[in-house]
Amino acid sequence: MRRQAGQLAFLSVSTGTASPDEAPQATVYSADGTAVVSDIKLPPLGDDNVFGRAWRVSIAAGDYLVRYLWEVSSVEKVRTEPLKVLPGGDAEGAYRNLTFYEPPHARFVVGQQESDKDTFRRNPRV
Amino acid sequence: MAHGIYPLDHYAQSREGLLYAADGWSAVRRWDGLTSDYEEAGVPAPENAPLFTAHFGPGFLTGSWTAYARYLDRYGNPGNPSPASLTVRVADISGTVEAISNATPVRVTSTGHGLVSGGRTDIPGTSLGSKIVIRWPDGTEETLYYDVISANTFDLYYDNALTSGVEPDDHRQPAGQWAQNASGFTYVLPTNGTGTSGNGTISSVSQHIIETDAPHGLSDMGRLGHSDGRVQITMTGPGSIDVVGTFYFQVQDTTHLRLFDDDALTSPANIVGVDEGTDIWSGYNWAEQAIPETVERVQILRTKSGSAAAAYVDQEGDRFQTFFESALDDGSLGESVVLIDPFTGDASYSQRFGLPPKDKPFLAAVGGRMLAAGDPVWTRGAVKVTEDSETVEGIGTDWEGDFEDRLLTVQGSDRAYRIASRSGQTLTLTEAYEGDSAPYASYAISPSYRSRRFLQWSEAGYAEAWYALAGVILPADHEGGAVTGLASFDAAGIVFAENRAFRFSFVLDPATDGSVVPAFDRGAINNRCHVRTESAIYALDHRGVYRTTGRNSDDVSETAQDVFAGKHSEFRIQWKWKESFHACFDPQNESILFFVSLTGGLPRHVLAYRLRSGDWEILEFPVPITCSAVARIGGRLRVIVGTEHGRVLVLDEGERDGATEGTLSGSVSSAGYDWLEDSSAAFSGCENAPVRIVEGQGAGQERLIVACDGTRLDLDTPWNITPDSTSRYVIGGITWRWKTGWYRWAVDDTEKPQAVALTYKPSEVASRLAMRLYADQSDEPKVMGVSRSNYGVTTEKGSADIVVNATKENGYAVHQTDRGKETRADGWRRVAVELVGTTNGDEHAIYQVDIIGAVS
């Protein structure tokens, strides 16, 4: 996977034919083996033992490894996947919604980003 | 509205011009353009009632009053009133001065006056003494002291020691009125187990505690044995202030009881405020633990004597004021607040200034009111449930907002559970889960049954004042689907469902003259896919796009129906992503733009409906376009769109996407897995812009730039074909594509020329412009069989592109095809022409396409 900060990375794993005891968890490790994001729980995506979710990237640019961990009948199972976080991006993510607001004293572009951050851009110009 | 992506803010503006944002999961927020952030809309009710205070002295004011407090925000919007205060009653023990003597001290004749020599003695520990107030015929009032002479006469003095007699005076003639009020506290014990009751006298009162003058005989355990476990305080007798209240109690000792408003003994009763021995209230004490920041003013309301139907503004102060002095009589009170519905007697009528509903995501201003609709459902992720446990754990749920009172339904369970609270990704139910334990189960969190399909409205003129009962249930309509949006048009509210629309209209009061009726059998995909113009609403539903004025619908997407129906060879709407679709009116091009997903993922395509011609066009963007709006920029209304990385873009501005400085086109020196280098370039500020290979190896590939530095560009995804030194690139070029319909080559046995000619505006700088030919309904363009370059075009064997020299001075290029064939010979019969281009800083203008030798 290659993503920039603020983009959604889809973390998913198939547990094969066996249903796991609990929902699998994903942990993101940096190149030096440090867990930078832990215990991202993955819900099922259907009935075929595929688990996953979208995760908004909020870590620095670099190379990472995503480790998926689950248990089947108390036996631990692991899968890994590389994740490259590219430079650039915006950790607040994409805009969810926009509106234009024009009270008497100014003009505003009001928006909401995926991180829930609200922005109020005053007197917009090109 | 299934919640598949996120709680999305939906915007509306009130009649007053304030901006509101609602998502259906948390408090509605308001912004006025002045504060640094949103504020929660609505004005909450104070938790505590004001307390009457009194001064020590007699007076003429008599009656029975109840007080309330309410907040005002800085716009003057009121909230609901607080709980009612204790009712204060001041009994009338005034009399008429029938005659007055002409001696000092003056002697008053007032038959059966009832005054007690030396003042009342029936109030333990306190007494007014012989104080009295006289109102003389000229209107002046004097507080004096009396000495009872007989049952019908008393003398008046200036001092309590009765040494300085009041002398006769003209203004004291010929008669007047007198009044004396005193007070006392008594209590009535709750009925005990034997059915008897008791009472006694209260000797003192502190904030929550009463002291009795004799052992009260109650115990905490005894409280449980009583039928209601309450103690009632009453101030009785003529000339007294009556504080009537019913409280729960906790025994402090044999003569002290701590009083509470609730049986759980968690809310101490505020009973202070009427001091012993006082008789006339003179103001209010009021204190609140935590006053919301949005509160600017506090109003004290009180009823008029003997009436509970309405309260009136008595005093107003700032949010920090704790004492409100008042001496207003009933006739001098201000604005009224109706407490009881005059038609139905409903006491909840006083709650008309409640907070905006948290569970309605869609708002629209209609007729001076705000409407709210929608039934949000949260289904993201899964839940872990445990049999016999009230705790539910979320897995990838991303829960946020207020879930209290909503219903949780878990796959496999045969009933819904009410949610008591949420903490992070954990829910607490009001009762234990009865189904089988499941480590990861699908679920839905939905509104309570009573609020589903409930269209609510605010009070007239108050966008933030909502009465919980003010609303109407939309007609049951299984085929119509869930409520997906709300709009205002032509003084009515249009409620969109998936496949239906309802029209809600009213004249004065929706409660009495409002009506909601099914309007037409079209709906809206979501609340961002209906667009209002001056004359109509255009909306997208599963069947396509239609136009409505609120009463019927006209389909406008017949010519593009293949795209909506999934029958188009190339473009099919990916309905799975419908929650991310959005639309806006493009006033500059007089078009309605529907941003949809045609290839999966977030919207990158626009279905553009040209209002004047009725034509449809498909536009494509290099990045996802996640939202859109129309903004006034530079004095013109322009379409703005939101995208990744917190960027807001303006459509139809400039000739490049996302790049304006540094080197913007050139030749590749070298390239690797996910980068390219141009040794002669000076790249700068082109992050997030697209770079496209327009010539040479790898032509046609486009990537987004994630980093640029000097001579090197780093890209978001690797090349499929790595460019080399034959490759030319353009940064921020606008790529476009246009295709004709199908034409038939003329049927003729003679040799006639067959060619495609292009007339265009020459570009000032090199850019990519090419033609492609399609034969006989093929989805793939014809591949050129020879390499040649003449008449302004270049073909390369094996490539489908007929590359046009965009800078050719005469702006004319022609590609000659195979010669004509005999009528019966095999060969291609029908032709379509596609033009593709990538600009390089100036526009591409195509004046004419001639398919020479073809007929329509």
Side-chain angles (χ1 to χ4, degrees), chain B residues 30 79 157 304 419 496 577 623-624 655 663 697-698 709 745:
Chain B
R30 169 235 298 144
Y157 294 85
K304 291 185 178 179
I419 297 169
F496 295 97
W577 292 86
V623 293
E655 299 300 333
T663 301
Q697 180 159 300
D709 183 17
W745 291 120

Side-chain angles (χ1 to χ4, degrees), chain B residues 74-95:
Chain B
R74 66 174 174 280
Y75 308 104
N77 295 321
N80 274 337
S82 68
S85 74
L86 302 175
T87 298
V88 171
R89 292 179 184 145
V90 179
D92 179 9
I93 55 164
S94 58

